[in-house]
Amino acid sequence: MKRESVRALLEQVRRGDVDPDQALESLSRLPFVDVEDARVDTHRALRHGLPEVVFAPGKAPDQIARIVRALRESDQDVLVTRVEAEVATRVEGELPGGEYSPVSRLLWYGPAEVATLGNGTIAVVSAGTSDLPVASEAAEVAGRFGNKVDALYDVGVAGIHRLLASSDVLRNARVVIAVAGMEGALPSVVGGLVDKPVIAVPTSIGYGAAFGGIAALLGMLTSCASNVTVVNIDNGFGAAYVATLINRL
Amino acid sequence: MKRESVRALLEQVRRGDVDPDQALESLSRLPFVDVEDARVDTHRALRHGLPEVVFAPGKAPDQIARIVRALRESDQDVLVTRVEAEVATRVEGELPGGEYSPVSRLLWYGPAEVATLGNGTIAVVSAGTSDLPVASEAAEVAGRFGNKVDALYDVGVAGIHRLLASSDVLRNARVVIAVAGMEGALPSVVGGLVDKPVIAVPTSIGYGAAFGGIAALLGMLTSCASNVTVVNIDNGFGAAYVATLINRL
Amino acid sequence: MKRESVRALLEQVRRGDVDPDQALESLSRLPFVDVEDARVDTHRALRHGLPEVVFAPGKAPDQIARIVRALRESDQDVLVTRVEAEVATRVEGELPGGEYSPVSRLLWYGPAEVATLGNGTIAVVSAGTSDLPVASEAAEVAGRFGNKVDALYDVGVAGIHRLLASSDVLRNARVVIAVAGMEGALPSVVGGLVDKPVIAVPTSIGYGAAFGGIAALLGMLTSCASNVTVVNIDNGFGAAYVATLINRL
Amino acid sequence: MKRESVRALLEQVRRGDVDPDQALESLSRLPFVDVEDARVDTHRALRHGLPEVVFAPGKAPDQIARIVRALRESDQDVLVTRVEAEVATRVEGELPGGEYSPVSRLLWYGPAEVATLGNGTIAVVSAGTSDLPVASEAAEVAGRFGNKVDALYDVGVAGIHRLLASSDVLRNARVVIAVAGMEGALPSVVGGLVDKPVIAVPTSIGYGAAFGGIAALLGMLTSCASNVTVVNIDNGFGAAYVATLINRL
Amino acid sequence: MKRESVRALLEQVRRGDVDPDQALESLSRLPFVDVEDARVDTHRALRHGLPEVVFAPGKAPDQIARIVRALRESDQDVLVTRVEAEVATRVEGELPGGEYSPVSRLLWYGPAEVATLGNGTIAVVSAGTSDLPVASEAAEVAGRFGNKVDALYDVGVAGIHRLLASSDVLRNARVVIAVAGMEGALPSVVGGLVDKPVIAVPTSIGYGAAFGGIAALLGMLTSCASNVTVVNIDNGFGAAYVATLINRL
Amino acid sequence: MKRESVRALLEQVRRGDVDPDQALESLSRLPFVDVEDARVDTHRALRHGLPEVVFAPGKAPDQIARIVRALRESDQDVLVTRVEAEVATRVEGELPGGEYSPVSRLLWYGPAEVATLGNGTIAVVSAGTSDLPVASEAAEVAGRFGNKVDALYDVGVAGIHRLLASSDVLRNARVVIAVAGMEGALPSVVGGLVDKPVIAVPTSIGYGAAFGGIAALLGMLTSCASNVTVVNIDNGFGAAYVATLINRL
Amino acid sequence: MKRESVRALLEQVRRGDVDPDQALESLSRLPFVDVEDARVDTHRALRHGLPEVVFAPGKAPDQIARIVRALRESDQDVLVTRVEAEVATRVEGELPGGEYSPVSRLLWYGPAEVATLGNGTIAVVSAGTSDLPVASEAAEVAGRFGNKVDALYDVGVAGIHRLLASSDVLRNARVVIAVAGMEGALPSVVGGLVDKPVIAVPTSIGYGAAFGGIAALLGMLTSCASNVTVVNIDNGFGAAYVATLINRL
Amino acid sequence: MKRESVRALLEQVRRGDVDPDQALESLSRLPFVDVEDARVDTHRALRHGLPEVVFAPGKAPDQIARIVRALRESDQDVLVTRVEAEVATRVEGELPGGEYSPVSRLLWYGPAEVATLGNGTIAVVSAGTSDLPVASEAAEVAGRFGNKVDALYDVGVAGIHRLLASSDVLRNARVVIAVAGMEGALPSVVGGLVDKPVIAVPTSIGYGAAFGGIAALLGMLTSCASNVTVVNIDNGFGAAYVATLINRL
């Protein structure tokens, strides 16, 4: 039932065509107005001037192209995440105009420059070179979402001085995204260096007892630093999304 | 906002005191009528003539007594689940009139006889004597919910002939609840003997590799019988609840 | 030993050709009549007018074709589940006349229309687009089994209003199948909206801490809604099978 | 070595009393100023006007009293977390003036009223009555840390309308803390209703497949809502801490 | 229906009092003769001259005493397993004549000497002093079941020479029970020293990564010795039971 | 040091060429005679007239061929296990004369008929058609090891009558191997039907909560039948090996 | 057979009283000299001048006292580990002269001062105050074993500067023991600061996703620092033992 | 900021060009000297005369070649670990002069002979032929790092005499690396035979309940031998690295 239908019903009540009790019955089941086919994420995204986001895994290249084209025709920017190189090539073959980043596996349809909307800087720090895909996903998503981003890669805790040498980057940030695989200790150290929210992203990097990111995930959840919250393994996008919300406060 | 308030608002619209657009604004956020403090389960329960259910663990005896008294004052029957014997004694000390079953750990405030509402019989079968608390919880809850119940205990699969000897009980049932700990094989065998829905309840009975019910749970989820669905470990109440819904169809 | 053999034996006893003690010996070991090579599931299926079901994984295309041909020659309808597209093509190459659905991965040999046998409607709701294969397996199996089916896809709990907007579908159903991956929260919300049995199907959709469906599975087993039972991860078929049994009550 | 000592050293260098090479040696090892015995958390807390926090488990009542007394003598407010009732009684016996909350298990030594420092409101929502200890820990900690707090308890997803009825609370918040045990679905639903950061707190409430909070934890980590981050099981304090940092941005 | 009833039925058929078709109907459902209430284990035990076995955990002392008395009145020997010392005292208080072994936690009602029935010797070896309760349960059960038993305790693999020094014990055995906690390596070493079946019993001894016996259990299941089979954690009784069956071949 | 060397040393002592203390030193370190390069398994195998066994996974076809050729040149029979079809083809290309079984994945170099050495029959029962590779590995290994084997496949517990119909096979066996995937309930039922040792083999068959055989493994370890021991997941070979040892007693 | 017996045998061979072949037979089975009842650890300990070690859990106070008395009568020093305070009191009641440390839970019977045997210093660092029992067990055991020990407690990674301020302690050590619970990140940071072996000890400190030390254990096993090895959860003793062996090289 | 810069700054202070307070500000943030872009591991490696190490997985062949070339141009030796054969071929195609070992998967760019730096011998023992890749990685890395290495392969505990026959190798070593998959029992036995540190390496060898190395890992962590420490699954490199550090003490 759409907003117009509700107004019509109310008009009927005013005109006496419908009994209040009948209307009550109709309305008591009505939890909202007019959502039907629209995606809630879309609505929220639009309100915030954020691009649409499409999660590529499990979708065929032509399916991705079709979705992106439809969104582009509605004048929306589109960010496709977790796009393997060969998929990107095929999507761009069907729909030119995209910008693909092979490290972050992001495919972007939108302006080269995005207006800055956040109030400060988001710092993205990562532990090892293998964590780069997840860290750069976080950094580039944050950038496409209109944030100033400072990236600081390869500052693992076994070489703690490198991290400390760049602590200005951390101190200048409004929110920090800390990405690490293996033992996932980076967010704890970072959390101790800053007084800002730290969003920890465990990665599936590592072998054996790393268990595809479980070691890092557990380490981050049990961090001795109180300012650390955690997102799912490899979820660089989610960290950037939350960091964006925080940065706009 | 209560049902009365909505009717009042609609009356105002009819009288022209309130503009339909204003009313629309008020109503568009209103997903339901009159829930505030009442428990949704209560509403559903009342519609079905089911008693109120209180889950005892984590509640102090006087807290349980207070809740039950309030419900009794509203003329509702009340079933308290997972009540340890000493807790039951203290609750009954504060609020006489209850009926306590030490095996099923159920404390009942209501009529000794409940009207039969289901269309058939619910069979409750269990594997070992240690599964009795869970099985009898399922059987007695089903009984208090107005079902005819046939109970068949201690028919574990290592003595398969005992189960087969009583297969009439299974065949006469409209829905079967199968309770088992350890390897949890009973629902698979039962599922092969009947053409009715089988609700499997893993119990935490067993030691070592039983892992507090995990072995039974996994066994039931991977049952080779297609008519088996599963509830949580030791959740005899939940099985009886779903069986009641099915038996009323 | 077939039913006929037993009757013959009893005739021999009546004629005095066989001693009661000898007959006792023969009969005391006889737990059933006429199963030999036939599959028990077949018998049950036939009694209910259900098609035969073949689980494809682990079977070669020519093996599947051989099984289906044998069943078709016995005038039975056959439903093959979990058939990958290339397998379907090869089976249909050997045995024309099948109907393949690439999303649900079902291959059907039987009439285009199946007589309706259930007493009401089965609602199939699912959370995300990635859950579609499992959800459509459930919906199509339910349809091939003679049920009226209402499907409601892509109504995940993070956009709760979409689900609420379609709550009529839920309320009209006799039994609901709720399919969800990731956190698997859909059955809890659905369970709170209806007073019917809800069969929850966790899917292996998700990454990281989804652990191939474990997160969803645990979420559904510990649902705060009492009318939820659970089947194995990705087991759309099993959910449809049980829903069919319930719908025929 | 304290800040004053460093300045003294530099003065010595200026006066020529100390050779630059010697000073270099002393300083090159000095990564920070004045930490020696003080707890880093203390420093951070003091800079932000936050009270000192003492984690009670594993500490004897007299040990707690000693720590608190020492801190009080330094004119600091002290918040002791996870204090069981009998422990609180004994601590207060040794050190009067505390304020104990038996539900949140917090023991507070400080002013009855704390000045508001955050820029908005923190909403704390929880699913069931059993989650109350964790939810109220979050809410009271946030209050003691100077935030305005809106609490909304017992709004589990199986009764979704209750949550929707109070969605104003959610929409007015700058950051939301969502607390849930069992299947932990609440943060996903809440995350879909607001455009603010949601900090999810899994609780150890539940039995069987809840596995002491693992089911809720996994559910929250794999939430389909992108604005959800997660803290450790039962970590109401940590959620309030991060929410405070966000609310001060 | 008992064996006598079946014979009676067959007599009726012979006399023509009952129609073969009717008798067929009665018999076709009859999978066995005479089990009704009797415990299958009892029957099996009696056939083999084995004592009755009662598993004590979860049973109250008076309940145990009642069961044992009933069995004793049927002239059966009874072995109660996993009996804590205070329980044994109370059972013996109600029913004198038992023999209690505090290490193996076995309570025996039967002759001091049991006739030897097995064809050879069962060796029981264990790794550490903490494994003694499980190892002695195995050894004493095997003894009560009529086997000659050779016990060899405290021969852990970190002191391999002690085990090798007693390899005659192993070589003289017909079947070996190897009991170990912690890393559970003993059965692998023993399996390499003998050409007989080795029944491995993991114990819950150990801390940390021993995970209550999981480390030992996994180690035994993945043993590089091909002659090792495994029973549940701490299941000394089960190992003795199977060893008895093997020793009687 | 070989047996001959020890004798030589002792001769030297007798002749006085070597001092007893020196000899003592040499001998005290000598735990065995003459093993150097020979595989212990080989020795054991030879003593029992068993063929050599080669585990194929991880070995290249030419490596397998080389090992088999060397063993054949020593006049030994060789059984290669877990050989994929293409590997078998390549091994047989390099070394003709083998006999390959594609279901059990065994490659046999030895006489077509093996002399019977065991004292009775080994029964191999399995639950589903998918368990056939493991079950037939067990059955064929047992056959190649000189045992009479009775195989009974596709007798899963959901169709319990099929198993009961063939209970003669079970009762005639000296030892039973029970193979099952999914919930792994077969050994419990079989264990209740026979008074012989039952060796349970969990298989990795199943999906979702079967967890690659964990559900079946746990179910078998916690079996309510006391005569069940367990080997590793899919370890048909190990079951046959132990059954052979038992059958020769 | 003891060393003397072997010499006697060899003398008999020299004298010609025993035939070399007979002696060969006797000796070929003899893997060692003189272990019978003695504990191998004792022998090793004695050779190194280490005290005897008794692990208290699972032993009654009088049992501990008896063991210690026997060892003291052999002039050996004894270190009892994991002794709870009340147990220590009772042991000392029976056997005066012990020195009990309530934090490390060590009970020592030996000289107040132990001669220094190691070549350098063992550093023991720990993360939080709750890790103190395990850290001080490691430090005190190392001390009783004759090592110089430098302890550095409460230097968790969330306050990284405290650790860096004391890096001299780390650099001066020959081997470092790093003790940490929760996320267990300390060994990684320490490992990056020193070029010496680091023995990591996970503790069971923490709650929720710490899973009794699993989070710390996994973190340490997957450390990005290559010089880290790991012992069992809470195994401060084992770390000290290995550190002692290293320090004596 | 480099050491020279700090000296320059201090000179400026001495000359009065810079104010002590300003210098204090500059210095208080300076935790280290001269690390900027250099890898800490490199520095450490160089100090010890160790080669650079590159971990190949996740790096493309040309990327590996580029890194190695850059390091070679700085006159450093380079060891690339975990290099698959085809990758090695491609790297050597781009950068000749490497030495590839297909079993250990090591690619070496450096002198054929490395100067011996350690004080003793490192023994590497392994359990089965399948453990060879990990064991030879450990042995060859230790060799390239300048240690004398004694390797002893295929000495699994099920054939304990083979290990005992070579115990001289163990006794002569200064540190032992013990590599084993499946039940991982080898380090416990080895630990009992030597008085030196034993570094245990679990391998991912095995199937079923081996769980990719978990069984071996848990077994090693819970070893009853006190001189065992553990590294990550398959981490032969890490074991060799720590053994090298110990051997240089």
Side-chain angles (χ1 to χ4, degrees), chain D residues 161-219:
Chain D
H161 295 306
R162 297 194 63 207
L163 177 63
L164 297 177
S166 305
S167 50
D168 276 3
V169 168
L170 299 175
R171 267 190 290 266
N172 293 339
R174 242 181 149 227
V175 51
V176 181
I177 295 171
V179 179
M182 301 171 79
E183 81 270 61
L186 184 62
S188 292
V189 175
V190 167
L193 294 173
V194 300
D195 296 321
K196 295 299 186 312
V198 175
I199 302 170
V201 189
T203 74
S204 54
I205 292 305
Y207 61 90
F211 294 133
I214 295 181
L217 173 63
L218 297 185

Side-chain angles (χ1 to χ4, degrees), chain B residues 15-243:
Chain B
R15 287 196 308 266
D17 294 355
V18 167
D19 190 64
D21 275 341
Q22 277 175 278
L24 173 63
E25 189 58 29
S26 300
L27 288 166
S28 68
R29 293 281 177 74
L30 233 211
F32 66 104
V33 176
D34 192 18
V35 299
E36 272 153 327
D37 266 53
R39 295 220 356 256
V40 165
D41 282 356
T42 302
H43 279 199
R44 183 169 48 207
L46 284 174
R47 272 203 301 279
H48 286 76
L50 291 177
E52 275 292 323
V53 178
V54 176
F55 185 70
K59 298 198 180 72
D62 62 330
Q63 200 181 355
I64 296 172
R66 218 163 38 234
I67 296 171
V68 175
R69 182 176 295 114
L71 290 165
R72 294 299 282 159
E73 286 167 357
S74 314
D75 279 327
Q76 294 179 31
D77 300 336
V78 185
L79 185 61
V80 195
T81 65
R82 306 261 178 114
V83 192
E84 297 305 322
E86 61 269 38
V87 174
T89 304
R90 292 179 56 194
V91 174
E92 291 184 286
E94 298 205 19
L95 189 70
E99 189 179 343
Y100 180 64
S101 164
V103 175
S104 65
R105 295 161 302 162
L106 293 169
L107 178 58
W108 169 244
Y109 286 88
E113 288 295 305
V114 176
T116 299
L117 290 168
N119 298 313
T121 299
I122 296 174
V124 179
V125 298
S126 69
T129 51
S130 307
D131 300 318
L132 209 57
V134 177
S136 60
E137 182 189 62
E140 294 184 24
V141 167
R144 299 296 188 195
F145 279 13
N147 301 282
K148 279 179 291 180
V149 178
D150 258 11
L152 191 58
Y153 298 150
D154 207 5
V155 288
V157 299
I160 198 72
H161 295 305
R162 298 194 62 206
L163 177 64
L164 297 177
S166 305
S167 50
D168 277 3
V169 168
L170 298 177
R171 267 191 291 266
N172 293 339
R174 239 180 151 229
V175 50
V176 180
I177 295 172
V179 179
M182 300 170 80
E183 82 271 61
L186 184 62
S188 292
V189 176
V190 167
L193 295 173
V194 301
D195 296 321
K196 295 298 186 311
V198 175
I199 302 170
V201 190
T203 74
S204 54
I205 291 307
Y207 61 90
F211 294 133
I214 295 181
L217 173 63
L218 297 186
M220 291 169 179
L221 285 167
T222 57
S223 172
C224 50
S226 298
N227 50 347
V228 174
T229 61
V230 187
V231 296
N232 197 3
I233 297 165
D234 289 337
N235 191 8
F237 168 78
Y241 190 96
V242 175

Side-chain angles (χ1 to χ4, degrees), chain C residues 117-147:
Chain C
L117 291 169
N119 297 315
T121 299
I122 295 173
V124 178
V125 298
S126 70
T129 50
S130 307
D131 300 319
L132 208 57
V134 176
S136 60
E137 182 189 61
E140 294 183 25
V141 167
R144 300 296 187 194
F145 279 12
N147 301 283

